[in-house]
Amino acid sequence: MTSKQRQILLGAPLAIVPVVFLSVAPWLKSAVGGTVTTWVAAAVSAFVMFYAWYVALSMQRRLDEVQRAGADYAAKWGVTAGQIAFFVLLALPPFQNLVGELVNQPRGKVLLGMTIGAVGVVLLQAIGTVVAHLLWWRARR
């Protein structure tokens, strides 16, 4: 098996699992109800996020020092740049109109919800970073 085939095989669940869930979600909702479907959606989301993290870590094992430094730089600044880009998009009227039209709700309510959600994610990332840093320092002692 070539390296490219191994990468495709390793990344396949990242595409297959969400597609399978989205295809069975209507049936699941009618069979067991909305609450159970919501919990299954949360479990599927957690699986995909953790599996993506596993794939990223397994690919980083094969990097040399320079490639690893580049990956660390990208991880450090890419998250921040993505967060800034999201908040800039929230300030642009065409994006505001788009999100309002997509959910067929007043633009202000949608933007408030998206802003609260984004701030929540940023706060959780900050807390996670602090906890990981504390664990790293504790493990070094």
Side-chain angles (χ1 to χ4, degrees), residues 21 25 28-29 32-45:
F21 173 73
L28 189 63
K29 188 172 184 178
V32 295
T35 304
V36 174
T37 304
T38 301
W39 282 103
V40 172
V44 167
S45 299

Side-chain angles (χ1 to χ4, degrees), residues 24-139:
V24 300
W27 169 82
L28 189 63
K29 188 172 184 178
S30 66
V32 295
T35 304
V36 174
T37 304
T38 301
W39 282 103
V40 172
V44 167
S45 299
F47 168 78
V48 170
M49 285 188 293
F50 283 117
Y51 189 76
W53 185 48
Y54 165 75
V55 169
L57 289 177
S58 68
M59 290 183 163
Q60 282 187 351
R61 275 189 240 140
R62 294 184 276 279
L63 300 179
D64 64 19
E65 306 85 39
V66 176
Q67 291 170 324
R68 187 164 290 156
D72 290 345
Y73 178 85
K76 179 181 177 182
W77 293 105
V79 171
T80 303
Q83 292 167 355
I84 291 170
F86 182 76
F87 285 109
V88 167
L89 279 175
L90 284 178
L92 299 175
F95 185 77
Q96 294 172 355
N97 293 335
L98 173 68
V99 296
E101 290 296 322
L102 286 176
V103 295
N104 200 19
Q105 292 289 322
R107 190 171 80 174
K109 285 183 179 180
V110 175
L111 292 175
L112 178 63
M114 290 179 73
T115 303
I116 291 171
V119 168
V121 169
V122 171
L123 286 174
L124 289 174
Q125 286 176 334
I127 292 168
T129 301
V130 168
V131 169
H133 185 72
L134 291 172
L135 291 173
W136 183 80
W137 274 106
R138 184 174 300 265

